[in-house]
Amino acid sequence: METSNKLISVQHLVKEYNHGTVKALNDCSIDIARGEVVAIIGPSGSGKSTLLRSLNLLEQPTSGEILFDGVNLADKSVDINLHRQKMGMVFQHFNLFPHKTVLQNITMAPVTLKKKTPEQAQQQAEELLERIGLADKANEYPNMLSGGQKQRIAIAGVLAMRPQCIVLDEATAMLDPIGRREVLAAVEKLNREQGITVVLI
Ligand code: ADP
């Protein structure tokens, strides 16, 4: 068994849309180590989102390979849902259920998908809320929170699934400067304290 520090390895990835008329990614290669924070920078339309969506199997590569933890994502044996649990994705829009409290939003997936008991899930959610500085919001509803707070709750929801990596697709684009700072500080803290790998646009 290879004990590599490499978590993600993208090799010669090509992604074409519209029968090859749009080449969103052209021979893209990148290695991302465990615990690393990687920012992908580039003008609009340069393929940043396509790369992140490919990592999470939301897009099928035209050619090239993506290895996650040494496993080729194109292998038939890869369980897509399990892979997505290992690689949590945070989008621009806050993926929260408006009719559930903050705590319920965070505990739902671990209870239904990870078979945690409600008590275990709640304890974990409380720890995560503490970490992101929102312990006092546990019983509030999303519409009572600021954009930066909502996005941090969405991140806590992703982290509740214990991913090895989180991927943020312009997750701060909708936020004002204060919200942006709050979210990036929370992500940086999670990386520093828990060694979680972060890939962000
Ligand atoms: P970025 O995130 O850097 O703005 P994208 O990855 O969204 O770039 O897009 C890269 C290119 O691929 C653009 O030219 C875009 O128009 C095109 N593209 C993205 N998604 C699709 C799609 N589903 N169908 C067709 N073309 C697409």
Side-chain angles (χ1 to χ4, degrees):
M1 238 348 234
E2 189 191 2
T3 50
S4 165
N5 192 34
K6 229 186 263 181
L7 182 63
I8 299 168
S9 180
V10 176
Q11 294 166 9
H12 306 292
L13 190 66
V14 174
K15 176 64 189 180
E16 296 173 346
Y17 293 109
N18 296 345
H19 311 288
T21 53
V22 178
K23 210 160 207 172
L25 295 172
N26 187 7
D27 196 14
C28 170
S29 297
I30 179 176
D31 284 338
I32 298 172
R34 281 170 222 283
E36 201 171 10
V37 179
V38 175
I40 299 169
I41 300 170
S44 177
S46 60
K48 304 180 298 295
S49 246
T50 300
L51 175 61
L52 290 202
R53 292 201 309 268
S54 304
L55 295 181
N56 215 15
L57 294 173
L58 293 167
E59 299 287 357
Q60 190 76 33
T62 304
S63 63
E65 284 188 341
I66 303 171
L67 305 176
F68 184 84
D69 221 354
V71 176
N72 189 335
L73 293 185
D75 277 359
K76 294 267 181 294
S77 58
V78 170
D79 179 334
I80 293 182
N81 291 322
L82 199 61
H83 172 67
R84 290 192 184 139
Q85 290 181 17
K86 293 181 192 166
M87 173 132 48
M89 191 139 182
V90 184
F91 298 94
Q92 230 178 70
H93 297 275
F94 324 115
N95 310 113
L96 298 175
F97 290 102
H99 58 291
K100 304 253 183 213
T101 65
V102 162
L103 200 70
Q104 288 165 342
N105 263 285
I106 302 174
T107 54
M108 220 169 2
V111 170
T112 49
L113 297 172
K114 287 230 146 170
K115 309 282 175 241
K116 297 247 181 195
T117 66
E119 294 73 26
Q120 287 169 331
Q122 177 163 342
Q123 190 192 346
Q124 177 186 255
E126 284 167 354
E127 282 167 21
L128 283 167
L129 285 172
E130 190 75 50
R131 241 176 237 287
I132 57 168
L134 292 175
D136 57 330
K137 304 290 184 200
N139 296 311
E140 294 195 6
Y141 286 86
N143 66 6
M144 299 160 84
L145 306 176
S146 73
Q149 290 170 338
K150 276 189 251 195
Q151 196 59 300
R152 279 187 283 158
I153 301 297
I155 291 171
V158 166
L159 291 172
M161 296 301 285
R162 298 259 167 241
Q164 284 169 270
C165 174
I166 59 170
V167 172
L168 299 101
D169 187 350
E170 301 199 49
T172 62
M174 304 285 284
L175 304 176
D176 61 17
I178 294 171
R180 210 166 282 184
R181 228 173 294 139
E182 285 173 359
V183 169
L184 291 178
V187 169
E188 198 221 353
K189 182 166 179 261
L190 291 163
N191 170 262
R192 197 168 4 99
E193 293 178 355
Q194 304 207 299
I196 187 153
T197 310
V198 181
V199 184
L200 58 94
I201 294 185

